[in-house]
Amino acid sequence: MTLALPSLTSLNPPRLGRIERYVLVQQLRSLGVALAVIGALVMLIDFVEVSRGVGSDQDLSALRILGLVALKSPSVIVQLLPFVFLFGTLAAYIGLNRRSELIAMRAAGVSAWRFVLPAAGMALVLGVLTVTVLGPLASAGDGLWQRERARISGAAPDASSNAAIWLREGDDQRQMIIRAGRQDRANARLLDVTFFIYTTDSTGNRDFSERIDAQSAALSAGRWRLTNAVGASIGQRAVTYSSLDLISSLADEEAFERFARPQSTPFWSLPNQIERIENAGFASTAYQLRFQQLLATPLVFAAMSILAAAFSLRLMRLGDLAKMSIAAVVLGFAFFFMNQFSSAMGSAEVVPPLVAAWLPPILTGLAAFTLLFYTEDG
């Protein structure tokens, strides 16, 4: 008995037909137009804002302001990309409907799923590309914008900053809270430093152990080098040290840099940033929420694409296409406000960041699929 081997053609993945490719091309064109319109509006608003804000403090040229806008606007545009997919997909299918091309497709027995699902798949791919490539570039630009704005307005720290610095570090056995009255960047030192040292017992309770005040502290090679320090433990006399070393888990540059905003932290750097913040003893909820929201971005794009398609499949001869389109826009804005509300709940730790980030896109996707099933299959 011989076994029949599958042919090479049967092993090939399914390919898009002409109809699917045509609809995808129309959708890509509409997405490009929607992105251009929204991007132009965002840059125009940012240009006016930067001109009135930073530009009013310093005499900046129009070219310089445009460069600052180019750093600031991409992060805002990336946040508005769900509306690009909503408006772009809606415009593409309404155009097909107006030209009676949808009527011809449906009359030929073509199911809406044949061109809606490939469009949603394309939205997923573009979402992954946005999260992994475009998003990090926009986050880097936002970080540069924040530093440039602070430098131009004079708020950036110079060689010697008078702003108090708080740090926290430690492990399961010991925790240190560090307060520095000033910092000397030129010599890489913290000045007027106080170390509050806590020990952790076997039950997990932390007890105050020692306080050390020092004239200066320099971080190098995993150690704090304290100069002219005075230490005192509970129930003991103060001890003076001309020089004292304390083991540290911080990197050398972390004594002087502050944690970047979640929006300014690239996607690939967020896991390490979350670990650093938690190791330092701070809450990383905002960064966890940002990371989960970025992971959910492809699903958001796909849900918006399906939602727009489901609302625009109604044939023009049946009427109410304008009302359906308005309803799609209203639902899109409803998703935006629901996402903002969910983010606020997650930031306040009312709900876990995982739930706050994934619940809005999942609900939107389910609503879009439900409407599409009703429209297509009754």
Side-chain angles (χ1 to χ4, degrees):
M1 182 177 66
T2 59
L3 295 176
L5 297 177
S7 62
L8 294 178
T9 56
S10 63
L11 296 177
N12 291 333
R15 296 181 179 180
L16 297 177
R18 290 185 178 180
I19 293 178
E20 292 86 347
R21 291 197 302 268
Y22 177 76
V23 173
L24 285 180
V25 170
Q26 298 301 316
Q27 184 178 4
L28 282 174
R29 290 178 179 175
S30 297
L31 290 177
V33 174
L35 178 61
V37 172
I38 292 179
L41 289 176
V42 170
M43 295 190 69
L44 180 60
I45 295 173
D46 285 343
F47 187 88
V48 175
E49 180 183 350
V50 173
S51 300
R52 292 182 177 179
V54 179
S56 62
D57 298 334
Q58 301 290 335
D59 187 13
L60 300 179
S61 63
L63 186 61
R64 176 60 172 159
I65 295 176
L66 189 61
L68 294 175
V69 170
L71 294 176
K72 181 178 184 295
S73 297
S75 62
V76 181
I77 296 174
V78 168
Q79 294 180 9
L80 296 179
L81 281 180
F83 290 103
V84 171
F85 279 85
L86 176 65
F87 297 142
T89 305
L90 197 62
Y93 283 96
I94 289 178
L96 293 173
N97 213 332
R98 288 182 181 277
R99 296 190 297 268
S100 300
E101 292 173 333
L102 279 182
I103 298 177
M105 296 177 191
R106 306 298 287 278
V110 177
S111 172
W113 295 101
R114 282 188 53 184
F115 46 83
V116 171
L117 289 183
M122 180 194 64
L124 283 172
V125 173
L126 293 178
V128 173
L129 181 64
T130 299
V131 171
T132 57
V133 179
L134 300 181
L137 293 177
S139 298
D142 183 73
L144 288 175
W145 151 248
Q146 297 295 332
R147 290 191 291 270
E148 284 296 311
R149 182 181 63 175
R151 185 184 65 83
I152 293 173
S153 61
D158 51 15
S160 182
S161 174
N162 294 324
I165 296 176
W166 289 88
L167 298 172
R168 183 174 177 179
E169 63 165 306
D171 50 28
D172 296 336
Q173 286 75 37
R174 188 183 69 164
Q175 290 284 331
M176 291 195 306
I177 298 178
I178 307 167
R179 183 196 182 277
R182 295 176 296 143
Q183 58 177 329
D184 183 4
R185 285 182 175 270
N187 299 310
R189 297 183 306 169
L190 299 178
L191 305 178
D192 300 331
V193 191
T194 301
F195 287 76
F196 302 93
I197 302 176
Y198 295 81
T199 57
T200 306
D201 56 23
S202 58
T203 60
N205 296 322
R206 292 174 183 170
D207 299 321
F208 177 74
S209 174
E210 186 179 6
R211 169 175 173 168
I212 303 176
D213 296 286
Q215 181 181 356
S216 65
L219 182 61
S220 177
R223 290 180 179 273
W224 286 105
R225 173 62 58 88
L226 278 61
T227 305
N228 297 331
V230 177
S233 300
I234 297 178
Q236 299 183 6
R237 290 186 176 182
V239 180
T240 302
Y241 307 91
S242 59
S243 178
L244 178 65
D245 288 345
L246 296 177
I247 298 177
S248 173
S249 59
L250 295 177
D252 294 352
E253 67 276 4
E254 290 180 349
F256 295 95
E257 71 173 13
R258 301 184 185 274
F259 295 120
R261 301 186 313 156
Q263 292 78 9
S264 300
T265 306
F267 171 76
W268 302 108
S269 302
L270 275 172
N272 291 332
Q273 185 79 314
I274 292 172
E275 183 179 1
R276 286 177 52 205
I277 293 174
E278 291 179 346
N279 290 338
F282 296 102
S284 61
T285 304
Y287 297 86
Q288 294 182 25
L289 178 62
R290 173 66 175 170
F291 184 64
Q292 294 298 330
Q293 286 177 335
L294 290 177
L295 290 178
T297 297
L299 179 60
V300 173
F301 290 177
M304 284 296 193
S305 179
I306 297 174
L307 184 67
F311 272 99
S312 56
L313 287 178
R314 185 178 179 86
L315 302 180
M316 289 194 65
R317 61 183 177 83
L318 298 179
D320 292 337
L321 182 60
K323 293 182 180 179
M324 297 288 285
S325 301
I326 294 175
V329 175
V330 170
L331 280 182
F333 279 99
F335 161 77
F336 175 79
F337 288 113
M338 181 176 62
N339 188 45
Q340 293 297 108
F341 176 76
S342 181
S343 298
M345 298 290 284
S347 299
E349 299 184 357
V350 177
V351 296
L354 183 67
V355 177
W358 286 91
L359 184 60
I362 289 177
L363 292 179
T364 306
L366 291 177
F369 270 110
T370 301
L371 181 61
L372 191 58
F373 272 115
Y374 177 79
T375 302
E376 179 65 13
D377 303 322

